[in-house]
Amino acid sequence: MEIGQYRLETPVALAPMAGITDKPFRRLARDFGAGWAVGEMLTSDPSLRHTKKTLRRSDLGGENGVAAVQILGNVPAQMAEAARHNVSLGAEVIDINMGCPAKKVCNVAAGSALMQNETLVAQILEAVVGAVDVPVTLKTRLGWADDHKNLPAVAKIAQESGIAALAVHGRTRTQMYKGEAEYGLIAEVKGSLNIPVWVNGDITSPQKAAAVLAQTGADGVMIGRGAQGRPWLFRDVRYFLEHGRLPAPLPFAECAAAVLAHLRAMHGFYGEPDGVRIARKHIGWYLAPLPEGETARREINRLDSAAAQYDAVAGFLAQQADRADVWACDYR
């Protein structure tokens, strides 16, 4: 799979997720085999460019892969300037967000709300593509609502505007993340395009990844919520797509070491108290499938120092290592 001048070693990507795909998690996903990782969305509003949140999200130092930055907005000129600004900071790819279903985003006519205005879609895509000399990609959905699935029209606009690759979540905006993702329209669109297409939505196992690729003919799979608490999913998907079978499971100790390394990375990146707070959701996802994981999560969430949080997680995982050789997994 090729995105502009970049050739991916594997067609397995980490989907952009606000509050989740920060630098520590992007690095972890790539370490486990993700061939592509897009960062958290950045507003195109220049007045918010120097907030703590934006500065952290735009920090691209030490990326262990292609630096793909996602921008959000609804004003073509402002989006173009945001693209130029992020390229000046080191972005090697600009991704445009037309898929976020959050109310606070759609209420300002950004994210997936843009799919209601195809003329504005074309204006934004053309402005951003024309503003930078790096590949520009697009993340979108099937449409705004079940009776307004205009993905084919938006995909055609994207290709004609010079978009280098398209990622599609198999739900409409009004579906949010409810129900099951649908892939039929993505297959239809893939057959009509000459640019690479990622399929996204409910990719939670290697078997599902292979089945969805076969169904849609897409060039790659983009994994979001399925990777929360199990970044080694990228390793398993990559192996399954190459060999048609699952790899041997990683030893529990190796997974535990990755969890603790992720914890240290979050503490180092955010400092205190932010690192402790942000780590809590990841700890919850990691511990969820483990025996007594929910009880441990509640106890650990009472801690407010990085050292105490780390020691508590390390201690719990050491106890679990005495009981299990491999991490609990629902697709094995």
Side-chain angles (χ1 to χ4, degrees):
M1 186 174 180
E2 296 183 357
I3 311 294
Q5 68 269 39
Y6 301 109
R7 183 174 183 83
L8 282 62
E9 292 185 7
T10 179
V12 184
L14 170 65
M17 294 176 284
I20 298 169
T21 53
D22 54 14
K23 192 194 312 187
F25 195 65
R26 293 195 303 273
R27 290 187 60 88
L28 185 63
R30 292 190 184 108
D31 286 344
F32 274 106
W36 195 257
V38 183
E40 304 169 85
M41 62 184 179
L42 289 165
T43 178
S44 60
D45 184 347
S47 70
L48 300 176
R49 191 170 286 172
H50 299 293
T51 65
K52 181 170 68 172
K53 178 185 289 186
T54 298
L55 290 173
R56 280 174 173 163
R57 290 185 176 186
S58 58
D59 179 356
L60 302 175
E63 290 282 333
N64 57 343
V66 176
V69 170
Q70 187 181 78
I71 59 175
L72 173 80
N74 62 8
V75 180
Q78 199 174 73
M79 289 285 280
E81 174 53 31
R84 286 190 290 266
H85 173 69
N86 282 285
V87 168
S88 75
L89 297 179
E92 296 170 303
V93 172
I94 296 294
D95 185 57
I96 298 174
N97 183 321
M98 290 189 186
C100 180
K103 288 183 179 179
K104 66 179 181 180
V105 170
C106 291
N107 284 346
V108 295
S112 54
L114 288 169
M115 297 193 76
Q116 299 174 100
N117 189 337
E118 294 170 14
T119 299
L120 183 55
V121 167
Q123 292 171 348
I124 290 174
L125 299 188
E126 291 168 5
V128 174
V129 170
V132 294
D133 59 0
V134 302
V136 178
T137 58
L138 174 64
K139 179 77 160 55
T140 189
R141 285 186 167 232
L142 302 180
W144 174 256
D146 290 347
D147 59 354
H148 189 252
K149 294 180 180 178
N150 62 332
L151 173 64
V154 170
K156 182 180 179 182
I157 292 169
Q159 180 164 277
E160 292 175 347
S161 300
I163 291 298
L166 176 69
V168 184
H169 183 101
R171 290 181 174 87
T172 61
R173 187 272 164 181
T174 54
Q175 285 181 276
M176 301 291 283
Y177 296 100
K178 298 176 182 177
E180 296 184 357
E182 301 173 9
Y183 310 110
L185 193 58
I186 299 175
E188 177 185 324
V189 165
K190 170 55 190 173
S192 69
L193 296 179
N194 297 320
I195 60 175
V197 174
W198 302 101
V199 59
N200 173 230
D202 295 352
I203 310 296
T204 56
S205 71
Q207 298 91 329
K208 182 69 174 289
V212 171
L213 282 176
Q215 178 183 345
T216 61
D219 301 276
V221 291
M222 186 168 276
I223 301 172
R225 292 174 296 158
Q228 293 172 355
R230 49 179 187 180
W232 38 85
L233 175 61
F234 294 103
R235 164 196 180 261
D236 290 355
V237 170
R238 180 173 181 170
Y239 190 94
F240 193 92
L241 294 180
E242 293 175 357
H243 303 282
R245 64 182 188 278
L246 290 171
L250 290 172
F252 186 93
E254 190 169 339
C255 293
V259 171
L260 295 176
H262 186 199
L263 198 53
R264 289 194 299 271
M266 287 186 284
H267 291 160
F269 184 68
Y270 291 104
E272 290 185 294
D274 290 351
V276 174
R277 174 180 54 81
I278 291 168
R280 286 174 181 150
K281 58 191 170 190
H282 290 278
I283 292 170
W285 292 325
Y286 283 125
L287 302 191
L290 303 182
E292 302 173 12
E294 174 58 21
T295 300
R297 181 195 67 80
R298 290 197 298 267
E299 294 174 353
I300 292 168
N301 279 358
R302 298 191 184 101
L303 306 173
D304 57 9
S305 79
Q309 186 183 63
Y310 180 90
D311 288 345
V313 173
F316 176 74
L317 294 181
Q319 293 175 358
Q320 293 289 311
D322 292 335
R323 307 175 185 176
D325 296 326
V326 299
W327 205 275
C329 178
D330 59 7
Y331 55 78
R332 289 186 176 276

